[in-house]
Each structure stands twice: as structure tokens, then as C-alpha cells.
Amino acid sequence: MLQENQTNWAGNLVYSAREWLTPTTVEELQTAVNQSHHLRPLGSRHSFNTIADSPDTIVPLGQLNRVLALDRERGTVTAEGGIRYGELGQYLHAEGFALPNLASLPHISVVGACATATHGSGDGNGGLATAVSALQLLTANGDLLTLSRDDDRFYAAVVGLGALGIITQITLDVQPTFDVAQVVYLNLPFAQVAAHFDAIFSAAYSVSLFTDWQNGQFGEVWLKHRLTGEPFAAPDTFFGAAAAPGKVHPILGLPTEPCTEQLGIPGPWHERLPHFRLDFTPSSGAELQSEYFVPRRHAPAALAAIFALQEKITPHLLISEIRTIAADNFWLSPCYQQPMVALHFTWQRNWPAVAQVLPHIEAALEPFNGRPHWGKLFTMPAAQIHPHYPRLADFQQLRRQLDPTGKFSNPFLETVLG
Ligand SMILES: Cc1cc2nc3c(=O)[nH]c(=O)nc-3n(C[C@H](O)[C@H](O)[C@H](O)COP(=O)(O)OP(=O)(O)OC[C@H]3O[C@@H](n4cnc5c(N)ncnc54)[C@H](O)[C@@H]3O)c2cc1C
């Protein structure tokens, strides 16, 4: 099927593929892989760069979105490779189960999110990929390879940037469903964050700080408390910040309808862990996003370095968010074997202006071993990224074994991975 002017969610990218094939079965997907020279799997199109693009063929996986099995004994769920967190979350909650964590919105596909090391927040929470326990990978020669945690290659394939093949099935750990109460506080001084970083980020199951880098403060603190069955009462203040008297959007003043419930009102995990509601269909956002990870031990110094760039950043910024992520073992994860803090930037959709600012942020974070989110916009050269990935050579070797002709490659991967 030939389709023109297909864009990503944000509308900042027109995919360049000349052919779009939308498989409804794994057999159709295998045929597409066998017949194409170059093809890329596409999730829910929420990446901001060309990671999912293809000069040749794109295969959107949205129609392969069924739940295949719920194993109550083992505590796992298996789904097809195009399912989104929103659909899966509703299904799991109805069955009495939960995932440990979610990203800021539930509309993203599970496999696409894990492929780029997407994360939520929380001291005890790794990125979303840490819930994956097994997968089925369609490789370049049309074979289906099953990988699980006892196979070293699993740690390459989950956060695999779509470079090793197409994930047709994914199995995730689940746990009994739980409730969360979300409370927002306003105006937390940076001095408090610098002095009490660990206490602040361990104060709830998931913690997010929002700032526009002005006035030396974080305008909002979102605390997502995991409820235990005991009565929950949120204190009126948090490290000097006052509880918000009403519901707020991360960008103060914007309508709050798209946001998940706040004010300490308890609700199920899948309706509180994301910042945005599934049933509120987001228009394609007129925004761009960038995000950088630095080792958690550098967090106060890295934040101070970015506050110092406020005059360059703020004119082009909608909002920034700070989150923490536990260490994991995925070869291409920015959180490989060390806990990280993530500094996120939602920009106005003005790429020429943003492209001027990013090198300043990247230079400021270089002393702290900063590295970019794979699915967002960055200008950092590959040579600056590679030293942070000690298993990159192993990943490239596995890639050559599984995909010797570069069927799943594209210019983004060639530039970034080398
Ligand atoms: C509004 C918004 C909010 C966001 N919030 C967060 C957040 O809270 N935390 C965070 O870390 N990131 C966040 N992101 C970034 C987002 O999670 C990533 O860009 C993620 O990759 C998007 O998933 P997707 O399914 O849309 O992937 P796509 O952009 O469609 O694809 C991403 C990659 O996954 C690969 N892929 C997709 N499906 C498969 C498959 N079945 N097999 C193999 N490879 C596959 C693609 O080839 C590509 O390389 C956000 C993005 C937006 C637009």
C-alpha cells in the first residue's frame, strides 16, 4: 500500500518510506520481511526523530495488538508486538493485575516504548523494559527467535531500537493490581532539591519535578503514592512547597482535563501513573521533546548546570520534567548498570531554534556523562554517545549475525550506532 505524507505523532517528521505494509498476522509480517530489502517496524509513532523511519518499507504494527495469554500462576502477560499500554492496562486491571510502572502517557506502544528505553519515575522503578521477561523476534531471514532472561541476547533485544528484528510477541511481569493517589505541590526551591535530592525522590512511588528553569525553583512536584490499604492523608507542605489547591497541568495554566486525577483521590495504577488520561485523545502535539540521562550521583550538579542556561532555554521551552530511574541490564539502555536522573525538555515546535540550544545543554551535561533518549531529539555526535555504552560492540556483533545485510537498518541507526 502506498501512502503519502504519513507523519509522526508530533507532526515534526514526515516518514520517507515509499511503501507502507500493515500486517494483520505474523505470516503477513514474515512475507513483508522476506520480500523487502529494507524495512522498519513502527509502533505508535511517538518518537520525535527518524529512528523508526525507512527509505524503503515501513510496517506499522498497530493491528497486531491482541493479548495472547495471562498466566496467573507465573504472573506474566503475553501480547502481540503492536499493543499499547493503554489497552493492556485496562485489560490487566479488569483481570486484577498491574504493571509496575508507566510513562507519562498511555497511548504509546509497549514494544516501541521499550525499544527506546522509555521510562516513568521512581527510585525502585527501572525503565519500562525491566518488566519484560521474554519476547519473540522475527529476524531478517524470516525466522522467529524466542528470547528470555536466561539468554544474554535478550538484554540486547528488548532495548534494541528496532535494529535486530521485529518483536512479534512480548511477555511482561505482572503483579496484583494496586491503587495510587496523586498529589501535586507548587514551587519547590532548587536549594531544597540540591540539599535533599534522595529524600525528595524517595518520598513517593513515582516522583516528577516540573520546571521552566526560571526563579531557581521547580514550579510543580507530582507525587504518586502507592496505596497499601491504610488510610492515606497527604501533608499540606513538601520541603517548603505547598499542596496545589486544585488540579494542575504540568504547564501551569493549561486546561487540566487531559491530566490524570490529582488531589490525593485514589484510583487504579493505570489511571494515575501516567500524567495524561487514555480517554482524552491528545491532538498531535505542537511540540518537540529532548531528554538526557546523567548518573544519579551527579543530579544536583547537573541540574545546577542547566539552571545556569536558563536564558538560552526558557524562550523555546514549554516545560521540563526531572525523573529518576533505577539501573537495568539492557545493553543499549541509558540506565545500563547505574541509576540515572533524566532531564526532559518539551519544546515549542521550532526545530531551528531548538537545534541551537541543544548543543549548549549537551556540552553542559558532558562532564556528568550525559546521554540522550533514543526516541527524542538530540545533536550529540555518536562519538560522544558511544563511550557510555560498554556493550555496544557486542550489540553490533549480534546485529551483524541476525541481520547481515542490514535489512532493519536506516540512516538514523547507521549514524548513531555506527
Ligand atoms: C507525548 C509524549 C510523551 C512521552 N512520554 C515519555 C515518557 O514519559 N518517558 C519516556 O522515556 N519517553 C516518553 N516519550 C517518548 C516515547 O516513549 C518513545 O519515543 C517511544 O519509543 C514511543 O513508542 P512508539 O511505539 O510510539 O514508538 P515508535 O516511534 O513508533 O518507534 C520507536 C522505535 O521502536 C521500534 N519498534 C516499534 N515497534 C517495534 C516492534 N514490534 N519490534 C521492534 N521494534 C519496534 C521502531 O522501529 C523504532 O525504532 C514520549 C513521547 C511523546 C510523544
Side-chain angles (χ1 to χ4, degrees), residues 100-400:
N101 209 0
L102 293 170
S104 66
L105 84 174
H107 306 81
I108 51 178
S109 85
V110 173
V111 174
C114 292
T116 61
T118 291
H119 61 91
S121 191
D123 271 5
N125 292 315
L128 303 189
T130 56
V132 181
S133 66
L135 57 84
Q136 188 185 62
L137 186 71
L138 175 58
T139 60
N141 63 7
D143 290 343
L144 290 168
L145 182 64
T146 299
L147 299 174
S148 55
R149 286 180 177 138
D150 54 6
D151 187 325
D152 206 28
R153 296 173 298 177
F154 170 83
Y155 297 94
V158 180
V159 181
L161 317 190
L164 300 181
I166 302 178
I167 294 173
T168 52
Q169 283 184 22
I170 191 141
T171 301
L172 303 165
D173 291 335
V174 296
Q175 52 185 268
T177 192
F178 59 89
D179 280 350
V180 172
Q182 180 163 244
V183 184
V184 176
Y185 294 86
L186 303 178
N187 302 332
L188 176 68
F190 171 53
Q192 290 280 20
V193 177
H196 306 289
F197 189 87
D198 287 342
I200 286 171
F201 274 91
S202 61
Y205 185 67
S206 169
V207 177
S208 290
L209 308 187
F210 291 93
T211 182
D212 59 8
W213 306 102
Q214 296 192 84
N215 306 319
Q217 67 177 9
F218 295 88
E220 296 178 24
V221 181
W222 288 36
L223 301 183
K224 297 172 194 279
H225 295 279
R226 182 170 172 152
L227 302 181
T228 57
E230 299 295 313
F232 171 75
D236 293 338
T237 61
F238 181 73
F239 290 91
K247 201 175 163 187
V248 292
H249 188 283
I251 303 170
L252 210 56
L254 285 194
T256 57
E257 194 190 359
C259 302
T260 48
E261 203 60 75
Q262 302 167 13
L263 302 169
I265 300 166
W269 61 281
H270 65 300
E271 294 179 0
R272 294 293 182 278
L273 291 176
H275 303 330
F276 298 103
R277 288 163 43 187
L278 178 66
D279 57 353
F280 186 90
T281 306
S283 59
S284 63
E287 64 183 58
L288 303 175
Q289 294 187 9
S290 305
E291 190 167 28
Y292 298 92
F293 301 80
V294 301
R296 184 191 165 111
R297 65 184 183 281
H298 296 315
L303 289 170
I306 301 303
F307 269 106
L309 294 176
Q310 181 262 316
E311 287 184 9
K312 287 186 169 33
I313 292 172
T314 307
H316 309 293
L317 188 77
L318 293 175
I319 199 68
S320 272
E321 181 179 7
I322 313 303
R323 290 174 282 184
T324 56
I325 310 108
D328 63 44
N329 288 312
F330 300 108
W331 300 0
L332 292 192
S333 166
C335 310
Y336 180 70
Q337 297 194 338
Q338 54 182 336
M340 303 296 270
V341 60
L343 288 70
H344 164 88
F345 304 81
T346 300
W347 304 104
Q348 295 169 15
R349 206 169 77 189
N350 179 353
W351 174 238
V354 172
Q356 297 289 315
V357 182
L358 293 185
H360 294 284
I361 294 174
E362 291 165 1
L365 296 179
E366 189 176 7
F368 310 113
N369 299 327
R371 65 213 60 179
H373 191 302
W374 295 119
K376 303 186 183 182
L377 295 164
F378 55 92
T379 57
M380 192 180 282
Q384 198 179 322
I385 297 173
H386 287 188
H388 304 310
Y389 292 92
R391 300 295 304 265
L392 178 61
D394 296 328
F395 185 88
Q396 293 289 59
Q397 192 182 355
L398 180 60
R399 197 172 158 213
R400 283 190 294 274

Side-chain angles (χ1 to χ4, degrees), residues 1-64:
M1 182 182 13
L2 180 66
Q3 294 180 16
E4 287 175 2
N5 295 330
Q6 292 277 346
T7 66
N8 65 345
W9 173 85
N12 69 306
L13 168 71
V14 178
Y15 295 107
S16 62
R18 57 172 190 82
E19 183 183 45
W20 289 66
L21 298 172
T22 306
T24 56
T25 64
V26 172
E27 292 71 29
E28 286 177 18
L29 193 53
Q30 281 173 309
T31 305
V33 168
N34 287 335
Q35 291 178 352
S36 303
H37 291 296
H38 289 103
L39 86 170
R40 296 286 295 152
L42 185 64
S44 49
R45 308 184 189 198
H46 282 73
S47 294
F48 289 84
N49 58 38
T50 54
I51 189 169
D53 200 7
S54 168
D56 200 349
T57 303
I58 277 188
V59 281
L61 293 172
Q63 294 198 24
L64 291 172

